[in-house]
Amino acid sequence: ALFQEVSEAKSLLEQTALICQGRPFYPAVLKQIKLYIRNDLRRLDVPPVELIAQSPSRDPLEKIMFMTSVGVPSVIYETVKNLRQARGERLGACQRKFPRLGIILLYILAFLELAAFPLLGAGTIAGLGVKVDPTRVFGLQSILFAGLTGATVLVLRIIEELWQQSGGSFNVDAALAQMVLGLESELDERTENIVNFKMNVGDDDIPRGY
């Protein structure tokens, strides 16, 4: 879903550059694309339901369609439609399915399991009586308890990492940052070109639409 959304975002940037370049609202369109990347695409830490529940007046994609469509939808409409579809798939994939209560119950289960091991070990020693050296049994039990504790903590940490929406070892934060790096660089370059053009020519020499 992320690969599809980033590809559609790049297509939107290219189309706006071809269609809107030289028009007065071109800088505003680039600004809305920046806002979309910064406040939506990269916000993996925000619950998807909050992002999709935002008012259309705060949606950068809605503003882009409004600026580029006068009377009838422009060719950008289809790209924005595909981008919104990819965005919905990404939000659906990132939506947390496992509740926080489940993580708490898993920790309680792990605590009960580890707490029961010493009690069962003590009962085993009492049942053996004097037939076996207790130190040998305790040595074996300590190794088993250490292995059980390590495996339990490792499984719990992996489950919690998978449960987190962002910031974990198994999430896509790094991959997403790498994917949008080129897109953000191109946006900055196009915005800087507009500013440099306005600074290097006089107001009377600026073509109509800048």
Side-chain angles (χ1 to χ4, degrees), residues 66-141:
F66 178 78
M67 287 186 289
T68 56
S69 301
V70 181
V72 294
S74 67
V75 294
I76 295 179
Y77 174 81
E78 191 67 26
T79 303
V80 174
K81 177 184 175 181
N82 295 335
L83 181 57
R84 279 182 163 175
Q85 183 177 358
R87 174 177 178 261
E89 293 176 0
R90 186 251 305 175
L91 293 177
C94 293
Q95 177 61 37
R96 184 177 291 164
K97 279 79 174 178
F98 195 64
R100 183 180 296 273
L101 179 62
I103 299 295
I104 297 175
L105 292 177
L106 286 176
Y107 273 95
I108 294 176
L109 177 63
F111 174 77
L112 293 177
E113 178 186 0
L114 296 178
F117 190 92
L119 299 177
L120 295 176
T124 302
I125 295 298
L128 292 175
V130 295
K131 298 179 181 179
V132 180
D133 185 6
T135 57
R136 297 177 60 185
V137 179
F138 280 136
L140 177 62
Q141 289 182 349

